[in-house]
Amino acid sequence: MRLGRAGLPALTLQASAAPLPPPPPKKSLEEVRKEIDDLYRQAAVATDAYNLAEEKSKEQSAEIVRVNRLLTEGREKIDGLKAKAGAAARSQYRNGGLPEARSSSSPTIRSSSSTRQDASRTARRPPRTSSPR
């Protein structure tokens, strides 16, 4: 027994030749042809599936582009409507709650409201009296 540096028995590796696997059985020419035909069929099925998936992918991409375009148009329309609504609200706020279109286009509304305001102002004023000096 050999001792190694640490005083322990040294292990020695022996190369052992592993037995080779048995050679595959020889196939006849007809069996090889059948196997090749089967592989060709599998390749054709896989190619058809790939082509179909690629076609569907292109259709879906076109649909995504179309929907995205509609979405963008919808957002732009909403932004425009928000801007118009904001402008109308600002106008109403400036004009005391009356829409600008009504007060400027309809003189009756303006005259009747100004007449009411004038009447209420005169009703609130105390009568003028001349004071003795």
Side-chain angles (χ1 to χ4, degrees), residues 20-38:
L20 294 175
K26 295 199 177 205
K27 297 180 181 178
S28 70
L29 186 57
E30 188 59 35
E31 291 173 331
V32 171
R33 283 186 183 155
K34 285 181 183 179
E35 190 175 332
I36 290 173
D37 287 344
D38 186 45

Side-chain angles (χ1 to χ4, degrees), residues 120-130:
S120 66
R121 284 185 192 144
T122 34
R124 288 187 209 147
R125 284 191 214 144
R128 288 189 186 182
T129 56
S130 33

Side-chain angles (χ1 to χ4, degrees), residues 30-83:
E30 188 59 35
E31 291 173 331
V32 171
R33 283 186 183 155
K34 285 181 183 179
E35 190 175 332
I36 290 173
D37 287 344
D38 186 45
L39 291 172
Y40 274 126
R41 273 193 290 284
Q42 290 176 13
V45 168
T47 302
D48 290 343
Y50 174 83
N51 290 340
L52 181 63
E54 187 175 23
E55 184 179 326
K56 284 184 179 182
S57 173
K58 286 180 183 178
E59 289 172 2
Q60 288 176 347
S61 293
E63 180 69 11
I64 288 171
V65 168
R66 187 186 71 77
V67 168
N68 195 18
R69 188 178 322 115
L70 289 173
L71 184 62
T72 302
E73 290 171 3
R75 284 181 179 155
E76 289 171 355
K77 186 175 182 178
I78 288 172
D79 290 344
L81 291 172
K82 282 181 181 179

Side-chain angles (χ1 to χ4, degrees), residues 5-28:
R5 290 185 188 169
L8 298 173
L11 297 175
T12 58
L13 296 175
Q14 294 179 352
S16 62
L20 294 175
K26 295 199 177 205
K27 297 180 181 178
S28 70

